[in-house]
Amino acid sequence: MEAKDKRELFEHEYVRIYANGQGNIVLYFENENEKPLAVGRKMNEIDEEAYMNGYNWDVFFDYYLAEHAADISESMESDPEAGSYVAYFEDTEENERKAERFARIIVSLIDNEEEIYRILREKGREIAWD
């Protein structure tokens, strides 16, 4: 595969997508940003297993995408860390669209956090926390 140029594709306060010039589209979610951190704290209050570091965001996103957007998770690999969550996609136009959809899902969930809290209350036991 021919490597494409580095380029910015999407930028939000706590989610960014860029092509790294090495054949990957990278979605970066900064879970230690103020808003996601506050949502994560509330998630932990609702379910003590939901300690929302990058690893548990990975678990939550896996669960959410399997339920609502399985085509996205089929096209990516994740690489969580304590303070961040990163997903990698092969650099194609289709995956660029999937990465952007995923970014918009993350933003929507964080900005409308009651949906996350509802999921935890109703389905939290189904989520295999890290």
Side-chain angles (χ1 to χ4, degrees):
M1 172 182 184
E2 183 179 316
K4 297 183 179 184
D5 292 334
K6 292 180 183 182
R7 61 198 188 283
E8 294 290 325
L9 303 170
F10 180 94
E11 190 159 353
H12 183 273
E13 178 183 349
Y14 46 81
V15 181
R16 179 175 162 230
I17 303 172
Y18 61 93
N20 66 5
Q22 299 174 1
N24 295 307
I25 294 170
V26 180
L27 180 146
Y28 176 79
F29 170 55
E30 184 183 352
N31 57 275
E32 289 187 346
N33 181 284
E34 184 178 337
K35 177 71 175 173
L37 197 57
V39 171
R41 284 189 192 116
K42 177 71 174 179
M43 291 171 74
N44 189 230
E45 289 174 18
I46 294 168
D47 185 336
E48 66 182 24
E49 298 284 319
Y51 176 79
M52 298 313 291
N53 58 20
Y55 301 101
N56 269 341
W57 280 110
D58 184 40
V59 170
F60 181 79
F61 292 145
D62 280 350
Y63 177 84
Y64 187 88
L65 291 175
E67 296 289 316
H68 301 281
D71 65 309
I72 293 174
S73 59
E74 293 168 356
S75 301
M76 64 175 223
E77 292 187 28
S78 60
D79 183 20
E81 298 293 335
S84 65
Y85 167 89
V86 178
Y88 295 94
F89 299 79
E90 182 182 344
D91 191 351
T92 67
E93 287 182 31
E94 179 182 6
N95 284 340
E96 193 173 314
R97 288 189 297 275
K98 288 180 181 180
E100 186 172 333
R101 275 181 43 224
F102 187 19
R104 292 187 187 287
I105 287 169
I106 293 170
V107 170
S108 178
L109 286 168
I110 298 298
D111 287 352
N112 303 290
E113 68 264 23
E114 288 303 321
E115 174 64 7
I116 292 175
Y117 307 150
R118 182 193 64 76
I119 291 168
L120 286 182
R121 289 182 185 106
E122 294 177 9
K123 306 285 186 173
R125 296 184 196 271
E126 297 175 19
I127 300 172
W129 301 106
D130 183 52

